[in-house]
């Protein structure tokens, strides 16, 4: 296939600045940019890659750190000269999960065998810590915290406390864990919270259907409140004023009647708003329309939905194939681009969408960019097609957006609206 990698299929108030194939490992999930280097977790290539983005128009592969056997490093966080990287089972390398529904329609503890462990694990599980200050672009591992079943995603913006979604033996799915980073060489668990019914080893019984994924994707922490995206369980608001004893403020769920898959919960500074993303996880629109919601959270104990972002309308993406719908948003991290009115989001086969939420009751799309089809497939699972799958987005202080794709590498874009 011949593709003009710098010619978008659709663009409005956005332009492509640069592209990198990440040294041939074009699959990307989460991306962090620190001191002129992008750190990209892989979905199929295991490990993570480093891209030199000091010249955004000419990003260059700068390194690759392999993961242990059967392990992926899909998510990572960078701050304070450190890089935190998750270790968990490489799910999609397992033939049992060739059909994504086998993973997304089952509890992780059941699917991966950690709820009631019976066999020795063949993957590495925990949290790795790298020094990226001494030699930027050349990570040097300095610490590791084992976690029995692995970690999915982290929220850490520097300082003492990190927050992870952890899969622990005896639990049905990923739960919330606080991590003490005061000694980066020896991170350690400080506290945990799970929804009632998740601690199977303690005799708890889930009150939800077996095909519902009641597990934490990750939480964003603002002050003493953790806003937890709990997949098919919706929004879980937690009090973390005591990091050793997180406690529930409110659990609210809109699935059913909506489709679940809650992925991000972003508090908007000074506006008492929360932007909540429900992730599309199945091909060919099988899981239906997923929304990006806006909640009024003046009272964190009573989140009220007030609007949803308008879905892309420039073409019919529901029949384009592959995943269609929201995946991720830029999370306004300290040191990155921060806005109380602009929301940058990825919509997989519909590329990147920028929304203006100045009027929270009437959000509007103000920018879009859909990259061209990928040059080839990194996703070797049966039935996959060469269709763009814009995945994660990080916007730097200068306003450049770094966008990963499951198959196409790293794009650097700019919003011009």
């Amino acid at each position: 296939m011949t593709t003009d990698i710098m010619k978008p299929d659709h663009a409005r108030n956005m332009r492509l600045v640069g592209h990198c194939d990440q040294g041939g490992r074009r699959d990307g999930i989460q991306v962090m940019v620190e001191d002129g280097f992008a750190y990209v977790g892989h979905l199929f290539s295991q490990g993570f890659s480093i891209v030199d983005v000091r010249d955004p128009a000419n990003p260059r592969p700068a390194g690759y750190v392999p993961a242990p056997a059967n392990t992926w490093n899909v998510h990572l966080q960078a701050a304070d000269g450190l890089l935190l990287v998750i270790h968990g089972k490489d799910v999609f390398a397992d033939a049992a999960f060739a059909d994504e529904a086998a993973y997304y329609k089952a509890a992780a503890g059941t699917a991966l065998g950690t709820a009631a462990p019976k066999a020795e694990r063949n993957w590495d599980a925990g949290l790795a810590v790298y020094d990226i200050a001494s030699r930027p672009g050349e990570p040097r591992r300095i610490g590791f915290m084992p976690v029995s079943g692995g970690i999915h995603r982290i929220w850490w913006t520097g300082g003492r406390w990190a927050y992870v979604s952890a899969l622990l033996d005896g639990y049905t799915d990923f739960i919330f864990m606080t991590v003490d980073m005061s000694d980066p060489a020896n991170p350690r668990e400080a506290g945990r919270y799970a929804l009632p019914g998740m601690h199977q080893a303690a005799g708890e019984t889930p009150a939800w259907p077996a095909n519902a994924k009641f597990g934490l994707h990750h939480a964003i922490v603002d002050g003493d409140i953790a806003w937890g995206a709990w997949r098919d369980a919706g929004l879980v608001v937690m009090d973390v004023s005591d990091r050793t004893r997180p406690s529930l403020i409110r659990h609210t769920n809109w699935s059913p009647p909506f489709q679940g898959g809650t992925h991000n919960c972003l508090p908007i500074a000074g506006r008492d708003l929360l932007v909540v993303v429900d992730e599309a996880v199945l091909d060919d629109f099988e899981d239906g329309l997923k929304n990006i919601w806006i909640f009024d959270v003046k009272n964190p104990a009573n989140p009220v939905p007030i609007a949803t972002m308008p879905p892309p309308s420039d073409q019919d993406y529901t029949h384009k194939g592959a995943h269609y719908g929201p995946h991720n948003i830029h999370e306004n991290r300290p040191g990155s681009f921060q806005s109380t009115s602009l929301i940058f989001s990825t919509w997989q086969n519909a590329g990147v969408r920028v929304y203006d939420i100045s009027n929270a009751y009437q959000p509007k799309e103000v920018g879009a960019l859909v990259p061209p089809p990928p040059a080839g497939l990194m996703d070797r699972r049966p039935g996959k097609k060469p269709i763009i799958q814009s995945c994660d987005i990080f916007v730097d202080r200068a306003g450049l957006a770094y966008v990963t794709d499951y198959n196409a590498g790293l794009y650097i874009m700019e919003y011009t609206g």
Side-chain angles (χ1 to χ4, degrees):
M1 177 187 296
T2 300
T3 299
D4 184 347
I5 207 71
M6 294 298 288
K7 185 179 179 181
D9 277 2
H10 170 72
R12 183 167 74 93
N13 292 334
M14 295 191 78
R15 70 181 186 96
L16 277 176
V17 175
H19 174 265
C20 181
D21 73 352
Q22 299 166 173
R25 299 177 180 90
R26 298 187 310 275
D27 54 305
I29 296 287
Q30 193 165 25
V31 56
M32 289 278 124
V33 179
E34 184 90 349
D35 294 330
F37 292 88
Y39 299 88
V40 180
H42 290 298
L43 186 60
F44 306 110
S45 299
Q46 302 182 343
F48 64 93
S49 284
I50 304 101
V51 179
D52 184 338
V53 294
R54 288 174 291 187
D55 178 0
N58 295 287
R60 297 181 295 105
Y64 168 72
V65 178
N70 306 307
T71 301
W72 65 12
N73 302 146
V74 287
H75 290 128
L76 33 73
Q77 298 272 276
D80 288 358
L82 298 174
L83 181 71
L84 275 55
V85 180
I86 72 97
H87 283 221
K89 179 179 173 62
D90 184 348
V91 173
F92 295 138
D94 188 329
F97 303 107
D99 177 0
E100 285 174 291
Y103 177 69
Y104 285 113
K105 294 183 179 180
T110 300
L112 304 185
T114 57
K118 296 177 181 176
E120 186 175 346
R121 226 126 293 163
N122 68 348
W123 72 90
D124 200 41
L127 176 68
V129 182
Y130 292 83
D131 171 11
I132 55 172
S134 300
R135 301 185 69 170
E138 299 181 27
R140 179 176 63 88
R141 184 161 145 174
I142 61 170
F144 190 80
M145 181 183 78
V147 173
S148 54
I151 291 174
H152 188 68
R153 188 153 156 168
I154 316 161
W155 175 255
W156 183 66
T157 59
R160 180 176 180 181
W161 300 109
Y163 310 89
V164 305
S165 48
L167 186 62
L168 303 177
D169 287 353
Y171 285 82
T172 57
D173 214 308
F174 289 88
I175 70 168
F176 178 72
M177 178 185 287
T178 59
V179 177
D180 187 340
M181 288 291 302
S182 55
D183 178 4
N186 294 286
R188 59 184 179 83
E189 177 185 348
R192 65 177 71 169
Y193 177 79
L195 290 175
M198 294 187 70
H199 197 180
Q200 180 174 309
E204 296 180 5
T205 304
W208 48 89
N211 64 349
K213 203 165 184 62
F214 271 49
L216 177 67
H217 188 273
H218 72 295
I220 293 177
V221 178
D222 183 26
D224 288 334
I225 296 181
W227 304 92
W230 220 278
R231 295 198 187 262
D232 295 343
L235 169 64
V236 177
V237 187
M238 293 164 282
D239 180 346
V240 293
S241 52
D242 180 351
R243 265 57 178 181
T244 67
R245 295 173 61 93
S247 60
L248 182 67
I249 296 175
R250 177 65 183 268
H251 174 207
T252 185
N253 194 12
W254 46 93
S255 172
F258 295 94
Q259 299 297 320
T262 304
H263 188 276
N264 310 73
C265 300
L266 173 66
I268 303 300
R271 294 192 63 190
D272 293 323
L273 297 175
L274 187 73
V275 176
V276 179
V277 178
D278 286 350
E279 176 194 10
V281 298
L282 301 177
D283 285 345
D284 301 317
F285 205 48
E286 182 182 337
D287 47 347
L289 179 64
K290 298 296 186 75
N291 288 307
I292 301 179
W293 305 82
I294 301 178
F295 279 76
D296 181 318
V297 289
K298 290 186 186 71
N299 179 1
N302 185 32
V304 177
I306 59 173
T308 58
M309 307 295 193
S313 59
D314 49 282
Q315 68 167 277
D316 179 10
Y317 291 99
T318 65
H319 292 95
K320 183 177 179 180
H323 292 185
Y324 162 64
H327 183 211
N328 228 325
I329 53 176
H330 172 64
E331 294 183 329
N332 283 354
R333 294 171 56 81
S336 72
F337 176 84
Q338 294 183 303
S339 175
T340 60
S341 59
L342 288 179
I343 301 297
F344 289 77
S345 62
T346 56
W347 277 72
Q348 303 185 91
N349 76 6
V352 173
R353 305 286 155 161
V354 184
Y355 296 99
D356 184 342
I357 62 166
S358 298
N359 180 346
Y361 294 92
Q362 292 183 320
K364 58 185 180 179
E365 182 187 295
V366 293
L369 194 149
V370 183
L377 282 172
M378 297 296 293
D379 186 349
R380 306 298 186 189
R381 291 173 294 172
K384 295 299 179 180
K385 301 172 183 176
I387 296 170
I388 202 72
Q389 295 282 260
S390 297
C391 179
D392 190 29
I393 185 165
F394 177 98
V395 186
D396 70 14
R397 194 174 308 199
L400 292 178
Y402 300 79
V403 179
T404 59
D405 184 278
Y406 301 147
N407 292 297
L410 179 68
Y411 282 102
I412 302 177
M413 309 176 182
E414 183 179 27
Y415 171 62
T416 60

